[in-house]
């Protein structure tokens, strides 16, 4: 089924799905509708984790002056030739240089300047002798080791040359990258805007953690899981609403402006109170509803205006799986991050067979042990604790009937890098 099929006009409540889209079709629809967002300036001190809009060209050199790389004595390296323990050479100490307080004036031949790390090297001098190889007494310093011209001196532009590309467009800035931006004197930098994400939770039975609940009501775990995943993927939470199963409230929250991505937790399946797919079709476009995967088969996606809407099943594992496969990918792409999961991967051998079904992708939670990869849950979309016990998950592609014991598989580890 292609993203343009007439599923958008189908109400599946209490009828079930007549067909389901394959995962590659869903990923293709996402990739076709997730251009990078526009840029915005941010303070350099807040830029870690953000993505550069354009190449960063150095407006200055770093350093902008020749500077000492050691505490010691600045001198002319050629004048130290022949110095040794049994033939120390003496130089008159004519002054000193500190970071931000250079030595002013000319340095005559046969003289040295006491200098500290980071201080400008005086004009005419070209080397720094470390303090441990010198002995100063009565205004003169004895040099017991030769030092070559240029030794222990940081040259102009040695770190970054003026006019060079310091950082490339599309780079997600690490802490040291932001520090490099600061070293260029830039108080702010142009980065991609973070996707604004609206989180809508449906279900009359859902209560916020900490609230009193009835014997047949449940606490809202999906919101906490989704908030953490959105932050991981670079999204910015625009709002978070618990709406029950009131169609009008859900419709208003879906259609309200201000979000780039809307996540709907629950209400996406075929139950009588699963209103979200019908409302999305009425307000915009229901591009896909029903995916050939386990869990998360009731997931769906579409658009209202420019906002992407993802229908995430209410069962916690299905919600996590659908977010990771679809919504998370969209948020990462909008913010300029890589499409794929940010999970580390390892190759390992299966300790026990995984049974699947041709035509359906399976998301299998697994544990790594001495005997290999052990599946701990093949179903149970409501058993969130299975993802806590698991070290990660294995994806069985739709073309496979499963994986036999002893097969090598890729395990995506839940631990983030």
């Amino acid at each position: 089924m292609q993203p343009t099929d007439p599923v958008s006009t189908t109400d599946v409540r209490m009828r079930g799905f007549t067909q389901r889209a394959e995962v590659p079709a869903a990923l293709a629809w996402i990739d076709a509708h997730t251009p990078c967002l526009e840029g915005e300036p941010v303070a350099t001190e807040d830029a870690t984790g953000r993505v550069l809009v354009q190449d960063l060209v150095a407006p200055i050199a770093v350093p902008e002056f020749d500077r000492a790389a050691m505490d010691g004595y600045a001198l002319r390296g050629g004048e130290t030739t022949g110095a040794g323990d049994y033939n120390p050479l003496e130089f008159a100490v004519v002054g000193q240089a500190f970071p931000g307080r250079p030595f002013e004036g000319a340095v005559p031949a046969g003289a040295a300047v006491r200098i500290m790390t980071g201080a400008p090297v005086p004009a005419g001098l070209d080397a720094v002798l470390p303090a441990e190889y010198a002995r100063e007494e009565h205004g003169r310093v004895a040099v017991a080791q030769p030092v070559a011209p240029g030794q222990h001196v940081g040259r102009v532009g040695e770190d970054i040359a003026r006019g060079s590309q310091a950082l490339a467009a599309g780079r997600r800035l690490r802490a040291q990258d932001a520090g490099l931006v600061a070293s260029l004197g830039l108080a702010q930098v142009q980065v991609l805007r973070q996707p604004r994400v609206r989180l809508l939770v449906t279900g009359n039975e859902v209560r916020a953690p900490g609230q009193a609940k009835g014997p047949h009501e449940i606490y809202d775990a999906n919101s906490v899981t989704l908030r953490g995943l959105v932050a991981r993927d670079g999204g910015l939470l625009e709002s978070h609403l618990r709406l029950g199963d009131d169609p009008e409230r859900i419709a208003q929250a879906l259609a309200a402006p201000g979000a780039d991505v809307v996540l709907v937790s629950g209400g996406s399946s075929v139950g009588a109170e699963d209103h979200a797919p019908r409302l999305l079709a009425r307000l915009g476009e229901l591009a896909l509803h029903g995916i050939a995967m386990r869990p998360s088969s009731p997931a769906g996606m579409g658009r209202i205006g420019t906002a992407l809407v993802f229908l995430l099943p209410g069962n916690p594992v299905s919600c996590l799986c659908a977010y990771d496969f679809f919504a998370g990918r969209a948020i990462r792409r909008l913010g300029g991050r890589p499409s794929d999961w940010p999970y580390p991967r390892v190759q390992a051998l299966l300790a026990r067979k995984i049974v699947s079904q041709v035509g359906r992708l399976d998301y299998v939670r697994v544990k790594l042990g001495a005997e290999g990869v052990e599946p701990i849950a093949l179903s149970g979309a409501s058993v969130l604790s299975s993802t806590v016990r698991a070290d990660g998950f294995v994806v069985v592609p739709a073309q496979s009937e499963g994986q036999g014991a002893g097969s090598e598989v890729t395990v995506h580890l839940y631990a983030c890098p």
Side-chain angles (χ1 to χ4, degrees):
M1 183 170 70
Q2 298 304 312
T4 54
D5 283 351
V7 67
S8 59
T9 60
T10 301
D11 187 348
V12 298
R13 290 178 297 168
M14 304 309 294
R15 299 175 187 175
F17 295 98
T18 58
Q19 53 185 334
R20 290 183 170 88
E22 294 184 358
V23 170
L27 300 182
W29 185 88
I30 292 167
D31 292 354
H33 294 89
T34 48
C36 287
L37 297 173
E38 69 276 11
E40 65 178 2
V42 300
T44 299
E45 60 194 21
D46 298 324
T48 298
R50 304 296 293 275
V51 176
L52 275 182
V53 170
Q54 56 196 17
D55 293 344
L56 183 66
V57 177
I60 62 171
V62 180
E64 288 192 281
F65 52 87
D66 291 348
R67 61 186 179 186
M70 303 282 286
D71 295 327
Y73 296 85
L75 34 68
R76 295 174 178 85
E79 293 182 344
T80 66
T81 302
D85 291 334
Y86 299 104
N87 183 38
L89 301 180
E90 289 195 350
F91 294 80
V93 179
V94 297
Q96 56 190 1
F98 292 92
R101 287 189 289 150
F103 173 82
E104 304 288 354
V107 180
V113 171
R114 191 183 305 112
I115 197 166
M116 307 304 149
T117 301
V121 175
L125 306 187
D126 59 13
V128 173
L129 179 74
E132 54 265 34
Y133 299 113
R135 187 177 70 255
E136 182 181 351
E137 290 182 351
H138 309 301
R140 297 184 68 79
V141 60
V143 176
Q145 176 176 300
V147 57
Q151 195 167 359
H152 305 308
V153 173
R155 296 297 188 186
V156 171
E158 179 180 75
D159 190 355
I160 306 169
R162 180 176 181 175
S164 67
Q165 178 182 298
L167 295 168
R171 184 184 185 93
R172 185 182 174 201
L173 298 177
R174 302 168 296 173
Q176 61 266 42
D177 299 326
L180 184 145
V181 175
S183 77
L184 295 169
L186 301 173
Q188 63 180 28
V189 63
Q190 197 77 5
V191 297
L192 292 176
R193 181 171 65 77
Q194 291 179 274
R196 297 184 296 260
V197 181
R198 179 176 303 147
L199 175 53
L200 308 180
V201 180
T202 68
N204 290 331
E205 77 282 11
V206 176
R207 293 290 175 267
Q211 286 186 343
K213 75 173 185 67
H216 304 297
E217 295 175 331
I218 61 172
Y219 285 120
D220 175 16
N222 286 353
S223 288
V224 176
T225 301
L226 291 172
R227 288 174 74 123
L229 292 171
V230 167
R232 178 200 72 182
D233 290 332
L236 192 63
L237 192 67
E238 182 255 5
S239 58
H240 173 198
L241 302 171
R242 293 185 178 92
L243 303 170
D245 286 316
D246 183 338
E248 289 310 310
R249 293 186 67 201
I250 297 171
Q252 289 174 7
L254 281 171
D260 301 298
V261 175
V262 180
L263 306 180
V264 184
S265 169
S268 70
S269 191
V270 298
E273 301 249 27
D274 289 333
H275 303 295
R278 176 179 56 87
L279 295 173
L280 176 54
R282 190 186 85 196
L283 296 167
E285 173 195 7
L286 178 59
L288 294 169
H289 185 210
I291 311 289
M293 63 190 300
R294 182 177 67 168
S296 306
S297 65
M301 63 196 69
R303 292 187 297 171
I304 299 175
T306 59
L308 300 181
V309 180
F310 290 92
L311 309 179
L312 310 177
N315 279 328
V317 180
S318 290
C319 182
L320 168 62
C321 177
Y323 174 89
D324 255 351
F325 266 85
F326 308 123
R329 182 186 186 92
I331 292 169
R332 291 190 296 272
R333 286 178 59 84
L334 288 169
R337 298 192 183 191
S339 301
D340 208 358
W341 293 310
Y343 296 122
R345 303 176 186 183
V346 297
Q347 300 296 121
L349 300 181
L350 274 177
R352 181 162 57 87
K353 181 179 181 180
I354 295 176
V355 179
S356 186
Q357 177 181 312
V358 173
R360 181 191 70 201
L361 179 147
D362 269 9
Y363 168 94
V364 182
R365 289 137 278 166
V366 300
K367 196 162 186 63
L368 292 172
E371 304 299 319
V373 178
E374 184 75 23
I376 64 171
L378 295 177
S379 58
S382 63
V383 184
L384 183 59
S385 64
S386 67
T387 63
V388 176
R389 297 194 308 275
D391 294 310
F393 61 92
V394 169
V395 175
V396 181
Q399 299 79 18
S400 172
E401 292 183 342
Q403 303 282 352
S407 301
E408 185 176 68
V409 293
T410 300
V411 181
H412 303 268
L413 300 175
Y414 283 133
C416 287

